[in-house]
């Protein structure tokens, strides 16, 4: 690589997320569901380097298993670069080097973070100069979690999860994530939830029409109070993820036995996120879970959304 190419290389870092609250409405005619999500961006990062190229190409490495990541037009980062090129009339290409730190198909929005990072990186590399709201609008076309990966911090998402408003959050929350080697498919988890709701309709009643984030969650985030958040964290997809992957129940029990304030399946799973009282408690929890054979990482939130790294 010569000097001018090196100076043209753009490095962007984007975060994974934990859904600290996730309510899923009834299935709609098009098969989609409205949701209400409280997202927190956490310190598990995707790094993307964009450099000039004739075509749009990608290479992927990582600290997580990247075997399931497509390297063609199915890759969300490639789709993001293509979408930006089409929308801005850009005729050149880009080579994207992705280093993944967010588990693949883990319910932590790693692919969405890559798409967000690719949008920001290509916009800077190509000088297309889109505003953040224009990037947000493109992101929403790529996937429901992409706008949040651009925004970062703590936010509430309604609609498909992409109608975002920032949430006030004080202080820092410490989490321990336990990842699984096999991912779960988001559409399959939603389907399992629909089947569960149909089968148990008499007991659980109809799904809510307009999902909403519980006021207690907003209060706990505003107060920066982990113990308070532990009381009200909830994920409607958890029952479906546990049905598809029963071993996650044992993971949840192991974390709670080891002193977590609460454990929750993140998004569509199978990553389980345990909330700890503080950083010290999280380190202890990580050590205990690792010693019992779990792949456990200590992360914290909130952290910023997709940003250029100098
Ligand atoms: P979400 O919770 O947003 O549905 P996730 O975090 O569970 O997603 P991802 O890691 O984003 O899962 O990927 C889900 C699937 O998308 C993967 O199994 C893979 O086939 C495909 N995919 C496309 N682009 C990417 C990418 N850049 N990184 C990872 N997976 C990708």
């Amino acid at each position: 690589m010569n000097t001018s190419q090196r100076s043209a290389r753009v490095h962007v870092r984007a975060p994974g997320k934990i859904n600290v609250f996730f309510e899923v409405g009834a299935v709609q005619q098009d098969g989609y569901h409205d949701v209400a999500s409280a997202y927190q961006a956490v310190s598990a990062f995707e790094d993307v380097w964009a450099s000039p190229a004739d075509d749009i190409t990608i290479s992927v490495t990582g600290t997580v298993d990247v075997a399931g990541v497509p390297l063609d037009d199915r890759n969300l980062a490639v789709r993001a670069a293509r979408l930006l090129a089409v929308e801005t009339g850009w005729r050149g290409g880009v080579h994207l080097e992705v280093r993944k730190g967010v588990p693949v198909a883990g319910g932590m929005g790693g692919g969405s973070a890559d798409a967000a990072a690719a949008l920001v990186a290509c916009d800077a590399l190509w000088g297309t100069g889109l505003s953040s709201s224009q990037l947000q609008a493109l992101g929403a076309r790529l996937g429901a979690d992409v706008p949040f990966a651009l925004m970062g911090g703590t936010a509430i998402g309604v609609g498909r999860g992409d109608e975002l408003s920032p949430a006030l959050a004080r202080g820092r929350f410490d989490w321990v994530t336990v990842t699984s080697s096999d991912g779960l498919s988001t559409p399959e988890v939603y389907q399992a939830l629909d089947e569960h709701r149909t089968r148990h309709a008499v007991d659980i009643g109809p799904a809510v029409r307009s999902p909403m984030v519980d006021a207690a969650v907003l209060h706990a985030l505003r107060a920066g109070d982990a113990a308070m958040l532990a009381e009200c964290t909830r994920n409607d997809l958890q029952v479906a993820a546990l049905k598809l992957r029963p071993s996650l129940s044992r993971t949840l029990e192991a974390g709670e036995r080891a002193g977590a304030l609460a454990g929750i399946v993140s998004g569509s799973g199978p990553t389980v996120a345990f909330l700890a009282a503080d950083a010290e408690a999280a380190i202890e929890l990580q050590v205990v879970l690792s010693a019992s054979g779990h792949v456990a990482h200590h992360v914290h939130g909130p952290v910023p959304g997709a940003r250029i790294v100098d």
Side-chain angles (χ1 to χ4, degrees), residues 17 19 46 58 60 68-70 72 74-79 98 100 102-115 144-146 183-187 190 266-270:
K17 53 84 184 169
N19 301 91
E46 302 284 277
I58 191 162
V60 179
V69 180
D72 53 19
R74 289 168 301 165
N75 193 295
L76 266 182
V78 172
R79 290 177 46 206
V98 178
K100 296 187 73 72
V102 177
V104 175
M108 290 185 69
S112 303
D114 294 345
D145 291 339
V146 181
L184 276 175
S185 145
T186 304
Y190 272 97
S266 178
S268 52

Side-chain angles (χ1 to χ4, degrees), residues 198-288:
T198 307
R199 212 170 313 120
H200 300 286
V202 176
D203 299 326
I204 57 183
V208 288
R209 273 191 171 279
S210 305
M212 265 174 65
V213 174
D214 204 327
V217 173
L218 301 176
H219 188 57
L221 290 169
R222 230 177 6 244
D225 188 325
M228 206 189 274
L229 184 62
E231 293 297 315
C232 51
T233 179
R234 188 184 108 206
N235 177 5
D236 281 359
L237 290 177
Q238 179 158 316
V239 67
L242 294 184
K243 191 125 220 143
L244 295 172
R245 190 66 61 76
S247 61
L248 293 180
S249 303
R250 290 195 293 280
T251 307
L252 283 163
E253 280 162 21
E256 279 162 24
R257 257 198 326 270
L261 296 176
I264 190 170
V265 169
S266 178
S268 52
T271 301
V272 174
F274 292 106
L275 185 56
D278 52 30
E280 207 178 317
I283 292 165
E284 267 174 45
L285 183 58
Q286 184 203 0
V287 168
V288 174

